[in-house]
Amino acid sequence: MTVGLSLFSTLAVNFAIAQEGAKGEDKAMGNFVELSDSKWKKVFYDPCTEDWRNQWSLDGQKATITNQRDGMDFIGGPKAFNDAHHAVLWTKQDFKGDLKIEYEYTRLDNELRMVNILYIQATGSGRPGFDKDISAWADKRNVPSMKSYYNNMNALHISYAAFGTDNTVPGKDYIRGRRYMANGLNGTELDNEYEHTGFFDPGVPHKITIIKRDRDIYMHIKNKQKEMLCHFINSKFPPITEGKIGLRHMYTRGARYKHFKVSLLAQDTVNAEVLSKIYEIKTAAELATRLKSADPGDIMVLPAGNLEDWTIDVKTSGTKEAPIIIKGQGKAETIFTGMSSIQIKESSYINLENFSFSNNSGTAIAFSSTNHCSVNNASFTKITAKRIIKIEGNGKNNEITSCHFFKNPSKNIEIIIGNKSEPVETIIRDNLFEDVPPIGGNGRETIQIGQSQTVYGEFEANTLVENNRFIKCSGESEIISNKSSGNRYIGNLFQECEGELVLRGGVGCTIENNRFENCTGGIRLSGKNHRVRNNVMWKSKGSGISLMYGVSNEAPAFYLAVSGCTIENNTIVDAGSPGIQIGTNRERDLLSNPTNKKKLQGNPSRYGTHFDMTIAPYDNIIHSNVIYGKKGNLITADNAPQNIFKDNLAFSPNIKADTDNMYHFIPLEFVDLEAGNLTLKATSAFTLSSGARGKVCEPVQLKKPK
């Protein structure tokens, strides 16, 4: 019997199954117990202690979501009756068939109004613009108003810990089921409703189990004092069979979630007919044999200890619902050494987890033409190969998450883009890169995305590099080297690095909400139509943001002139060179280096024919930035008049204003400048608004300094 269901046989059980009567109550209870004891296959699990973005997506931009040891705190926006402050978390995964959904819920708010909602198997209406896959029109739910859902989705809906929008009476809660028909909210109620339940007091953990079986939906709720069973019946509408699961918090509502699990009823679901098999692997040969006949959902557990010279070749596939998993024992107890490597070719849904590579002399992991493959919670130490992880071929949606790279004299991650190698939508998230030693020249980028901007710079790789930490990454001048387009660098931290985040070319990249502390520089740009916003540079030895001269404004070009870029809402404090430099390396001759000369002149179809950097940055907008420099390092433009400067704020206590119309010279006060808290005090002459990593300035209308 499922853990906890034995309580149903005791007299102490206090069920509240309203409006069904004693016989209906007994029948519902019996059906629920029978279903709970059926054979289920777990297809989704989130302990809620790791980054929510691994398995969820968010509608709405005002919510706060924090993962910690105690679970996931999900809190809607603070403004009641403002639709922008609603929020919905959706599983990235879809589920087909009958479901069991289990999780722990603890209410965090004290609100007497508004509701929480669980959406079950939501799909779009299929009308133009509202695809069946709701992720295809997520942009229409940036403001997640309720009507966007019930007017355009098919879904089951359960409101709980719910109160009327004008309620003022504690304990006047309700639990209600609905079936959205993509045609408004009226008339969508399911049979049975529960009022004044006495559950969901703030701070009290509740175990919730929901079983959806055809037209019946059971919701079992339990805390330490009592439990109840709700039974909703979909007697009037077509049944729901597939879609995503969602958690809605109306404005002002918040809760903590733990151990969110979804299971499919095995007897009814094709994907669940073959339950996962776990194999305890002893040798590399045994693993090779198992992989040749692996089924979706199989889990290969590698032995603990040092695995020397293991070569693992994978050419098979799992499914979205049942990936094939190759994992180590515990956390980093399985250690690959010597020439060990894992090569995954032409495969999908292969997950690598929980192991280490140490002192290897070859590439550790290679993804070649793979889709939806991942490496998670692995560590890589003192790898001497040219690169550690390589992604190449025509694949998509591969992920490197929660890994630790330490003291590696190598490129840590290389995404290879070429004529027959076009990996797209790669995710590099929540990794720690530490102590990359200098090479004394070129070729040791911590992350490299593309190798030739002159030929493939406009290829849209659409890579996401998010929430990583780079500590003392000093391999060369480019910590991250971008030579492709459409990539996003968001929320990363750089500390004490001898290098910069460098866009060597490309089109339409985003650099947002990153923080640089005590590095040699910050962000360096070449290329077109990039957006650099909400970044913080503190105590940079060089400039904070620099826009380079180019040799051409059209590809091919070894350095493409910077144009059409937006530099906004960045904060740069105590840079060693000008905080923002518009135009660097003017009139540099790339042929002055003999090695460059031979390479560049020998291949004009690849590198072009112009090698003097004479084209200034142009048509860029530099606005609403904050620059503070004790040495007077503010904003400079080197012979680059064709750019727009607007509402930038700059100050130095040691110089007089010399703005050249590029900034407003006005005293700037920070909360704690020396400690790196660069939040601007309200005593400065502008307003404040929240940014992802602290406060960013929004200047009020200022008069030009005299």
Side-chain angles (χ1 to χ4, degrees), residues 312-316 326 342-348 350-352 365-370 373-374:
I312 301 173
D313 292 314
V314 182
K315 197 172 183 180
T316 187
I326 303 172
I342 302 175
Q343 301 180 49
I344 305 176
K345 299 179 181 178
E346 299 173 2
S347 302
S348 300
I350 305 295
N351 295 352
L352 309 177
I365 298 174
F367 294 97
S368 181
S369 297
T370 58
C373 293
S374 67

Side-chain angles (χ1 to χ4, degrees), residues 50-56 92 399 401-402 429-430:
E50 301 171 356
D51 192 340
W52 60 273
R53 285 163 291 202
N54 293 335
Q55 302 193 74
W56 303 82
K92 294 181 179 179
E399 299 187 10
T401 57
S402 301
R429 176 186 285 147
D430 292 329

Side-chain angles (χ1 to χ4, degrees), residues 356-583:
S356 296
F357 279 81
S358 180
N359 294 288
N360 288 65
S361 53
T363 298
I365 298 174
F367 294 97
S368 181
S369 297
T370 58
N371 301 298
H372 302 281
C373 293
S374 67
V375 53
N376 176 263
N377 197 30
S379 65
F380 305 87
T381 304
K382 297 181 180 179
I383 310 298
T384 59
K386 182 178 180 180
R387 84 274 295 175
I388 298 172
I389 296 179
K390 175 176 66 173
I391 300 176
E392 62 183 351
N394 297 321
K396 62 181 180 180
N397 298 115
N398 299 294
E399 299 187 10
I400 303 166
T401 57
S402 301
C403 293
H404 185 194
F405 299 80
F406 183 61
K407 290 188 176 181
N408 296 300
S410 314
K411 289 180 183 175
N412 286 225
I413 298 173
E414 184 178 40
I415 298 177
I416 297 176
I417 297 171
N419 186 34
K420 296 182 179 180
S421 183
E422 298 183 347
V424 298
E425 308 290 347
T426 304
I427 294 175
I428 303 170
R429 176 186 285 147
D430 292 329
N431 303 287
L432 172 60
F433 302 88
E434 285 189 284
D435 292 342
V436 178
I439 195 175
N442 189 38
R444 191 172 286 173
E445 303 91 338
T446 303
I447 296 176
Q448 185 188 60
I449 303 174
Q451 291 68 43
S452 176
Q453 86 282 356
T454 55
V455 180
Y456 303 110
E458 295 191 3
F459 172 75
E460 294 188 0
N462 295 325
T463 302
L464 174 62
V465 180
E466 182 177 40
N467 288 349
N468 302 281
R469 289 181 293 159
F470 299 84
I471 314 298
K472 296 182 179 179
C473 292
S474 305
E476 60 146 277
S477 61
E478 300 180 11
I479 306 167
I480 297 177
S481 180
N482 178 95
K483 297 176 183 176
S484 53
S485 296
N487 302 312
R488 293 172 292 154
Y489 304 93
I490 298 175
N492 302 286
L493 173 65
F494 300 80
Q495 291 180 318
E496 300 183 50
C497 297
E498 300 289 320
E500 299 175 293
L501 195 170
V502 180
L503 302 188
R504 278 289 306 276
V507 179
C509 295
T510 298
I511 303 177
E512 183 174 8
N513 292 335
N514 302 282
R515 184 177 175 97
F516 299 77
E517 298 180 353
N518 292 294
C519 297
T520 54
I523 297 167
R524 173 157 50 99
L525 301 183
S526 296
K528 302 185 293 186
N529 302 337
H530 305 307
R531 189 175 189 186
V532 180
R533 65 187 303 269
N534 286 6
N535 302 283
V536 174
M537 292 83 175
W538 181 48
K539 294 186 178 181
S540 170
K541 297 180 180 67
S543 62
I545 300 172
S546 60
L547 281 61
M548 296 187 67
Y549 267 76
V551 301
S552 173
N553 54 14
E554 295 293 337
F558 199 63
Y559 282 97
L560 195 63
V562 184
S563 65
C565 297
T566 301
I567 316 298
E568 60 180 346
N569 284 336
N570 301 284
T571 300
I572 304 167
V573 173
D574 284 342
S577 299
I580 299 179
Q581 288 185 292
I582 311 301

Side-chain angles (χ1 to χ4, degrees), residues 322-344:
I324 293 172
I325 299 173
I326 303 172
K327 62 187 297 185
Q329 296 276 359
K331 186 174 182 180
E333 295 177 23
T334 298
I335 305 170
F336 292 104
T337 61
M339 289 295 293
S340 293
S341 67
I342 302 175
Q343 301 180 49
I344 305 176

